[in-house]
Amino acid sequence: MTENRQQQEQYSLSMMYGTYADVLFVLFPFLVIAMQRLWDGNLYQTLMRPDLSIAAAILAGLAIGKFVLGLVTNRELGRYKERIVFFIALTLFVVLGPAIILILSITANAQIPGFVAFVQPVLLIVAISLYTTAVSIANILVRTNQGPSGAEVSEATSPSKDGRPRPAPLDLPRRTGNDGY
């Protein structure tokens, strides 16, 4: 029992490191830009440029991808489908939409309002939070779809009526020599 718990904790820790590694890789180019602006003495300009909104939009897109992955991985979600769809809508409404509007508004206008310096970091923090939530949900759904040996045990991979195994979700069926045209 304790060995199983240790494996679960190790898996959760690995997922956390992997998730934050993804976030750091997304933010790395923007860190380089911020360091260059700091070097030039224009760090405040980072908050008034669309850089943080671009990073928030990228992370929001990744979060939506993870939420969709959670939806297609486990087809027997029942009441949880609506919750995942809610998180997708929340990501679109709270992060992706405003980030794109800010990107377009900042690049189109010479006069940028001061509230942008506050809104962009908040958008980025919310995007990071939603992305980590999405990764957690997707991993939970993938893990509940696997048996003790780690092999998937869902209906999608169980044998069909004619005895052949069904393809996993999103797997394309492979051609065999027995297939006809």
Side-chain angles (χ1 to χ4, degrees):
M1 183 87 169
T2 58
E3 183 179 323
N4 188 22
R5 185 172 176 92
Q6 284 179 332
Q7 288 176 346
Q8 287 177 346
E9 288 177 4
Q10 184 65 31
Y11 180 80
S12 297
L13 189 62
S14 296
M15 285 296 106
M16 182 187 71
Y17 283 138
T19 301
Y20 286 112
D22 290 346
V23 171
L24 290 174
F25 278 117
V26 168
L27 295 180
F28 180 72
F30 303 102
L31 174 69
V32 171
I33 292 168
M35 289 176 66
Q36 181 62 43
R37 289 198 181 127
L38 176 66
W39 183 268
D40 294 339
N42 298 327
L43 185 61
Y44 179 71
Q45 289 300 316
T46 302
L47 298 175
M48 301 306 281
R49 303 268 188 218
D51 302 340
L52 297 179
S53 291
I54 293 169
I58 292 169
L59 287 169
L62 289 172
I64 290 171
K66 290 294 184 180
F67 284 129
V68 170
L69 179 67
L71 277 175
V72 300
T73 299
N74 192 344
R75 295 181 186 196
E76 300 164 1
L77 292 175
R79 64 182 177 175
Y80 298 111
K81 282 184 182 180
E82 287 82 15
R83 293 179 187 178
I84 294 174
V85 171
F86 169 75
F87 277 111
I88 292 171
L90 184 72
T91 304
L92 284 168
F93 187 75
V94 174
V95 179
L96 194 58
I100 291 172
I101 291 170
L102 278 174
I103 292 167
L104 294 174
S105 299
I106 291 170
T107 56
N109 294 329
Q111 193 69 7
I112 302 167
F115 75 89
V116 170
F118 173 74
V119 171
Q120 286 196 106
V122 170
L123 271 178
L124 185 60
I125 291 168
V126 171
I128 291 170
S129 300
L130 283 171
Y131 178 70
T132 56
T133 301
V135 170
S136 298
I137 289 173
N139 287 328
I140 288 170
L141 291 175
V142 167
R143 288 192 65 187
T144 58
N145 219 22
Q146 294 182 351
S149 65
E152 286 198 14
V153 293
S154 71
E155 170 202 315
T157 57
S158 63
S160 61
K161 293 177 185 170
D162 60 358
R164 292 187 301 178
R166 295 181 187 168
L170 298 180
D171 277 350
L172 296 175
R174 306 216 188 299
R175 279 193 164 281
T176 63
N178 300 335
D179 292 342
Y181 290 103

